[in-house]
Amino acid sequence: MAATTPKDVFSFSAFDPSKFSESFRDFAEKGATQSKEAFAKMKAAAEEASKTVETTVQSAQAGTVELGLKAIDALRTNADMSLSHMEALLGVKSVAELVELQTSFIRKQAEVTVEQAKAMQEAAKKVAETVAKPGKEAVEKVVSTFKAA
């Protein structure tokens, strides 16, 4: 077994700077390429996230308008019913007629309120689904890329 002397291990003649610079250049180029790829992926993800947020905001705005219009319609209907009831009360000739008119009004008002609540609930559910859809799709896309990787 040949013994290596410290002179051989630490000698400068064993060190080739051209190989070192070549390896360093390859390492630097590989690092630059990986950095460019990572930046491109981050840029694409940021652009996609921006589009998702924009779509979500637009959906929320449209949904808010729709819910607002439904609320205005409900208020208008309730006001019309109340005014009609007030007019009818002005023509009452007996207590029995008053009780009958009031009972009928309350019953009708309760039915209308239930219908309005159902309509608002359906509209709110639709808006919530529409607003959540872009985010849900984005999450599913990200999850599928992690599964593929």
Side-chain angles (χ1 to χ4, degrees), residues 82-136:
S82 294
L83 290 173
S84 295
H85 177 63
M86 293 295 249
E87 288 175 351
L89 286 176
L90 293 175
V92 169
K93 299 205 184 339
S94 69
V95 174
E97 191 179 347
L98 172 72
V99 170
E100 182 182 331
L101 190 62
Q102 188 65 24
T103 304
S104 174
F105 172 74
I106 290 172
R107 184 179 306 118
K108 180 69 176 167
Q109 187 68 39
E111 291 171 0
V112 168
T113 301
V114 168
E115 290 173 19
Q116 290 170 342
K118 285 180 181 178
M120 288 293 284
Q121 183 181 17
E122 286 297 317
K125 180 181 174 185
K126 179 183 162 192
V127 168
E129 289 171 352
T130 304
V131 168
K133 185 178 178 184
K136 182 180 175 185

Side-chain angles (χ1 to χ4, degrees), residues 44-60:
E47 288 173 353
E48 191 168 324
S50 176
K51 288 178 185 175
T52 300
V53 168
E54 185 178 338
T55 303
T56 301
V57 168
Q58 288 173 350
S59 297

Side-chain angles (χ1 to χ4, degrees), residues 48 136-146:
E48 191 168 324
K136 182 180 175 185
E137 289 173 350
V139 168
E140 288 173 352
K141 184 176 180 181
V142 169
V143 168
S144 69
T145 58
F146 282 127

Side-chain angles (χ1 to χ4, degrees), residues 3 9 13 23 27-28 39-40 44 46-47 60 68 72 76 79 96 126 136 141:
V9 172
S13 62
S23 296
F27 176 76
F39 176 76
E47 288 173 353
I72 290 170
R76 184 177 291 131
K126 179 183 162 192
K136 182 180 175 185
K141 184 176 180 181

